[in-house]
Amino acid sequence: MTTPDQPQDYRLLLPDGWFRVPLEPEARDRSVNALVEQRFEGVDNAPHVKEELRRDLRKRASKAYRNGGIELYLSLQQAGPVTVPASLLVTLAPLPHRGGLPLEALAQRLSEGKHTVEVGVGELPSGPAVRVISKQRGPVDEETGRSDISVGVDYHLPVPGAEAFLLLSFSTPLEPLEEAMTGLFDAVADTFAWVGEGVRESADEEKSGQEQPSGSAPSDA
């Protein structure tokens, strides 16, 4: 159930080269197939790698949907001959109880996370949010004996008029480029805007970039 103050949707601007995968079951397989075909365009000698990527993406999308995921963005952005690996998962997280949750209390709770390195309460153009930076070491590569450190930047945005948070979860394995990647993630988060009832929009909110349609409208019921 929505309230008069609750937005009906949201808007994000992503850089060129990011691919959107809606997580609803009827749409995600089609989007995953399109992403895989784009990723392997012009490559005809890697059918097993191609199919493995397809399976992994379907599994990842299915798991995200079961956990409240709305849409997933994957970077196919090129830096010279290299693809910049990064992702953004948008998730709706209803509160398990009535009465709301103050941002300071949420920040305190998130600061106790095992991989958390920084937590802050701040203000985005769309409203207040809790920003969390985390780092996590991945599995060891059998060939190189090395393991990458992934950097995550999460934004917890309270949904106006609803007892729920919208979570923007950015991630990249490029820990050596942490400053540049977190700067990119912050810039994308700054483009976030609520759309619909109870939300005032103005023309000066529009920014250059690749505007992405959102997934399903935020709702806590």
Side-chain angles (χ1 to χ4, degrees):
M1 177 181 296
T2 61
T3 69
D5 295 328
Q6 187 172 331
Q8 300 300 302
D9 216 329
Y10 59 84
R11 181 177 63 242
L12 273 172
L13 300 180
L14 275 295
D16 291 335
W18 284 63
F19 194 100
R20 176 179 179 263
V21 178
L23 297 180
E24 300 90 343
E26 62 274 13
R28 66 180 177 232
D29 284 352
R30 183 169 61 252
S31 295
V32 165
N33 289 339
L35 186 156
V36 171
E37 292 303 322
Q38 180 175 331
R39 180 68 180 83
F40 283 87
E41 185 177 6
V43 179
D44 300 321
N45 60 348
H48 297 297
V49 177
K50 185 176 179 179
E51 188 56 33
E52 182 178 0
L53 175 61
R54 193 191 316 274
R55 286 197 305 268
D56 287 347
L57 287 175
R58 286 176 175 172
K59 182 178 179 181
R60 180 177 178 182
S62 178
K63 180 180 179 181
Y65 180 75
R66 292 195 303 271
N67 291 328
I70 298 172
E71 54 188 353
L72 173 67
Y73 295 91
L74 296 172
S75 170
L76 300 179
Q77 191 174 4
Q78 296 292 126
V82 179
T83 300
V84 178
S87 65
L88 163 61
L89 174 63
V90 183
T91 303
L92 182 65
L95 293 177
H97 52 76
R98 296 291 179 179
L101 179 63
L103 295 186
E104 291 75 12
L106 176 61
Q108 176 60 39
R109 184 179 302 177
L110 293 171
S111 69
E112 299 169 359
K114 179 180 179 181
H115 304 290
T116 299
V117 297
E118 181 181 320
V119 178
V121 178
E123 197 75 28
L124 294 177
S126 60
V130 176
R131 178 178 180 267
V132 181
I133 297 180
S134 60
K135 294 184 181 182
Q136 187 171 0
R137 185 172 293 279
V140 176
D141 185 283
E142 294 181 358
E143 295 184 2
T144 65
R146 300 172 55 187
S147 63
D148 294 325
I149 297 176
S150 64
V151 178
V153 182
D154 295 340
Y155 288 88
H156 299 255
L157 293 78
V159 179
E163 294 185 333
F165 282 83
L166 196 72
L167 177 59
L168 309 181
S169 299
F170 297 89
S171 181
T172 179
L174 297 180
E175 194 261 349
L177 300 179
E178 176 184 354
E179 183 175 351
M181 296 304 293
T182 55
L184 172 63
F185 299 157
D186 289 342
V188 172
D190 279 345
T191 72
F192 180 90
W194 296 111
V195 177
E197 294 182 13
V199 179
R200 185 180 66 185
E201 298 180 72
S202 60
D204 62 0
E205 289 178 340
E206 298 296 333
K207 303 177 183 179
S208 60
Q210 178 187 1
E211 182 167 352
Q212 298 286 358
S214 70
S216 56
S219 174
D220 62 338

